[in-house]
Amino acid sequence: MQDLYIAIDPGFDTVKVAANGKVFKFPFAVVETDERKMNDYNLRDSFLCHKDEHGITSRVGMYAQELIFEQKDRAEVESQMEDFYTERRFTSGAFKIGLQTAIALAIQNENFPANYVGTIYLMVALPHACRSRYAPSVVGAAAGDHHFFLRSGTGSEIEYRFHIQEKNIFTVSQTIASILGETSDDHGNVDKQKFFYLSNGPTLILDGGYYTMGIVEMSKGGSVDDDKTESDTQHAMRNVNMAIADEIKSFRPDIHHYMVEYLLREGNGQIRYMDHGHAAILDLKKIRKAKIRQVCSDFIKHLNAKYNNLLDVNYVLMTGGTGACFYPQVKAYYERSGVMDDQHLLLADSSLSKQSHPIEYSIVIGAYKGLLGKLEH
């Protein structure tokens, strides 16, 4: 039977997956439910319902986000979400559910049998600053026998069984994965055309995600300078969404930062509020643009203070979804100041199997290439 090579980037907002050369994603949200009491079975392709071997059910992805929004006034929901959107999620049961869901969808995409007996090789990308701390928990959640059920889209429930050997499970820093994706070919070998990032450094990697902005400086030759490494939690998309929630709290105090991504996808980012007895509209997309500019401006000040205005850096490589949002403003600032040009301040390219993908896949593609390279060598 064909083996499954799979990399997972369990981002704080979205799970990204690369498996046997293909990529996909789903929102990272998990809510335990009693499906016997649910009556919303107008199923869509985005529907995901996980059931463990003891019969406990959980909504996963978009449907879970909908439940969170519907239950937003419950104190326990707010407490759970505030905890879920921290690094502690890597030790939670919800993390294992997300992991199993990702692997099951990969098995489904490959048309492998749900009772899968092939070998699974797994690479999980974790935030750079906490990889060593949480790697044992992640490996523990992934290793061994797995038995659960998953209902996906409009299909019927499927029973999944598979086994992952601990020796076949690896972890990688998300920030290092991003440079692997940019400097490696599809098999994890060094791409000679892009080796200059490593050979002509120092290169500063800015990996912008939902919860963290990973900052890693690689010296000439490709070694990591740990003294200049940072997992910045003040200039990521979570901070943008917290600023949005703070701005609208006088109109809608029930909207928290962890709901913003869902609301931006639903209803064109517009929400209603009462203005002197009449319903009015708040445009979250417009507010977000302003908050991105504000947080990015603060981030540039942070870079200037910590990295000497980038004067001693030869290349800057920006990656991740937040990195892509910040890139135009960062690039314009450093070009205007004469510190960097567009040949030295670059946005990562997410390509796999001769296909380009949105930049949010840059980490998982790098992790996938790293997995193949590790196994090959």
Side-chain angles (χ1 to χ4, degrees):
M1 177 173 286
Q2 187 179 352
D3 295 334
L4 180 64
Y5 300 86
I6 179 169
I8 299 175
D9 171 17
F12 283 91
D13 179 59
T14 309
V15 179
K16 278 79 67 176
V17 184
N20 287 12
K22 303 170 187 173
V23 301
F24 63 90
K25 65 177 181 175
F26 56 91
F28 201 168
V30 177
V31 177
E32 186 177 320
T33 59
D34 183 347
E35 290 298 312
R36 295 169 301 178
K37 298 179 180 179
M38 307 302 285
N39 59 6
D40 60 343
Y41 280 93
N42 180 20
L43 298 184
R44 292 167 282 172
D45 290 339
S46 58
F47 183 79
L48 292 168
C49 184
H50 177 284
K51 182 171 75 177
D52 71 14
E53 56 188 330
H54 304 295
I56 298 173
T57 55
S58 299
R59 295 286 177 93
V60 182
M62 182 68 78
Y63 270 66
Q65 288 184 328
E66 289 179 358
L67 284 179
I68 291 167
F69 182 71
E70 290 169 5
Q71 300 171 5
K72 62 184 181 299
D73 296 325
R74 293 168 54 181
E76 64 268 27
V77 171
E78 182 175 354
S79 176
Q80 290 169 5
M81 288 302 101
E82 290 296 346
D83 198 54
F84 186 68
Y85 281 95
T86 70
E87 294 163 352
R88 291 189 294 275
R89 72 155 54 173
F90 299 122
T91 63
S92 69
F95 178 80
K96 185 171 183 177
I97 290 171
L99 200 70
Q100 289 181 332
T101 300
I103 295 170
L105 292 174
I107 289 172
Q108 184 183 110
N109 289 346
E110 292 299 305
N111 292 314
F112 291 161
N115 186 14
Y116 180 70
V117 295
T119 302
I120 298 176
Y121 299 94
L122 173 65
M123 179 76 86
V124 181
L126 297 172
H128 185 88
C130 69
R131 175 199 169 197
S132 59
R133 185 160 69 250
Y134 291 107
S137 297
V138 169
V139 172
D145 293 323
H146 294 262
H147 177 212
F148 60 95
F149 302 80
L150 186 71
R151 188 171 188 182
S152 172
T154 57
S156 57
E157 183 179 87
I158 298 174
E159 182 177 8
Y160 285 90
R161 293 179 185 268
F162 52 82
H163 178 85
I164 310 178
Q165 295 184 64
E166 185 173 334
K167 68 177 183 179
N168 294 334
I169 304 169
F170 311 94
T171 64
V172 65
S173 150
Q174 292 173 341
T175 312
I176 297 302
S178 66
I179 194 71
L180 287 173
E182 188 68 16
T183 59
S184 304
D185 64 18
D186 282 353
H187 305 287
N189 301 311
V190 172
D191 183 342
K192 294 180 180 179
Q193 291 184 328
K194 294 187 175 181
F195 185 67
F196 63 86
Y197 290 125
L198 305 178
S199 62
N200 297 338
T203 297
L204 193 66
I205 304 155
L206 307 177
D207 169 29
Y210 183 81
Y211 184 69
T212 62
M213 175 68 74
I215 306 175
V216 170
E217 183 171 319
M218 301 190 80
S219 64
K220 188 173 184 179
S223 61
V224 174
D225 187 341
D226 286 330
D227 291 335
K228 296 181 179 178
T229 292
E230 182 181 2
S231 190
D232 174 11
T233 58
Q234 300 302 309
H235 304 103
M237 195 54 67
R238 177 175 179 266
N239 305 98
V240 172
N241 289 350
M242 289 174 69
I244 293 170
D246 188 60
E247 175 154 323
I248 67 173
K249 68 180 179 182
S250 61
F251 306 105
R252 290 292 302 266
D254 58 329
I255 303 299
H256 303 283
H257 74 88
Y258 51 81
M259 302 174 191
V260 172
E261 296 295 327
Y262 167 73
L263 290 170
L264 286 165
R265 286 192 290 260
E266 296 293 307
N268 201 31
Q270 295 185 338
I271 58 171
R272 299 198 300 171
Y273 70 101
M274 294 304 294
D275 182 18
H276 299 95
H278 295 278
I281 298 292
L282 281 169
D283 186 344
L284 293 182
K285 289 185 177 181
K286 183 177 179 180
I287 297 171
R288 187 184 224 191
K289 286 182 181 179
K291 297 306 177 185
I292 285 174
R293 285 194 298 272
Q294 176 186 321
V295 174
C296 184
S297 179
D298 291 341
F299 177 58
I300 291 169
K301 292 175 184 176
H302 175 74
L303 288 177
N304 288 342
K306 185 162 185 175
Y307 296 94
N308 192 27
N309 298 286
L310 305 189
L311 293 173
D312 302 317
V313 173
N314 285 343
Y315 290 98
V316 173
L317 179 66
M318 298 190 68
T319 187
T322 303
C325 287
F326 286 5
Y327 177 73
Q329 186 173 341
V330 171
K331 177 172 172 285
Y333 173 86
Y334 286 107
E335 283 184 337
R336 200 165 51 242
S337 64
V339 174
M340 288 270 170
D341 58 29
D342 59 6
Q343 299 300 306
H344 291 82
L345 203 161
L346 303 151
L347 189 63
D349 171 42
S350 302
S351 61
L352 182 64
S353 303
K354 298 181 180 179
Q355 282 189 300
S356 291
H357 299 282
I359 195 170
E360 64 185 312
Y361 288 107
S362 58
I363 291 170
V364 78
I365 287 174
Y368 180 76
K369 291 178 178 180
L371 174 64
L372 298 186
K374 179 179 278 290
L375 296 173
E376 188 172 307
H377 297 105

